[in-house]
Amino acid sequence: MTKGGFILIAFDSTHLAIKVERMLKGAVDVEMIPTPRSITASCGLSIKAGREDLEHIKKTLNDMDVDRKMIRI
């Protein structure tokens, strides 16, 4: 996951974080981690994924019709 760097997806809702993790698991190598303190708007959970998976993640979020105001990539 770290060869090309990684992305962090922060959420405003714990429920949404868990839902997105379930949708991505299996298709993308993801890890649920505590949100770093430097990111202030968050529920406390974030998803860490490889930068190479960004397009797949965006497509999955669009397919899920996730309110983009509830997440930060």
Side-chain angles (χ1 to χ4, degrees):
M1 179 185 310
T2 57
K3 283 184 182 178
F6 66 90
I7 61 169
L8 196 67
I9 308 169
F11 301 87
D12 286 343
S13 158
T14 301
H15 174 73
L16 183 58
I18 293 168
K19 181 178 177 180
V20 170
E21 179 194 31
R22 286 183 184 155
M23 293 297 293
L24 292 173
K25 250 188 181 169
V28 176
D29 184 19
V30 296
E31 179 182 358
M32 185 72 76
I33 64 169
T35 301
R37 292 179 191 210
S38 60
I39 301 174
T40 56
S42 171
C43 69
L45 293 176
S46 292
I47 293 177
K48 181 179 177 181
R51 183 172 288 190
E52 65 277 3
D53 295 317
L54 180 59
E55 291 307 313
H56 179 78
I57 291 168
K58 285 181 179 179
K59 182 181 179 331
T60 301
L61 293 172
N62 286 335
D63 291 348
M64 291 175 63
D65 197 29
V66 172
D67 182 359
R68 299 294 279 190
K69 296 176 194 166
M70 297 290 291
I71 62 170
R72 283 137 190 91
I73 299 175

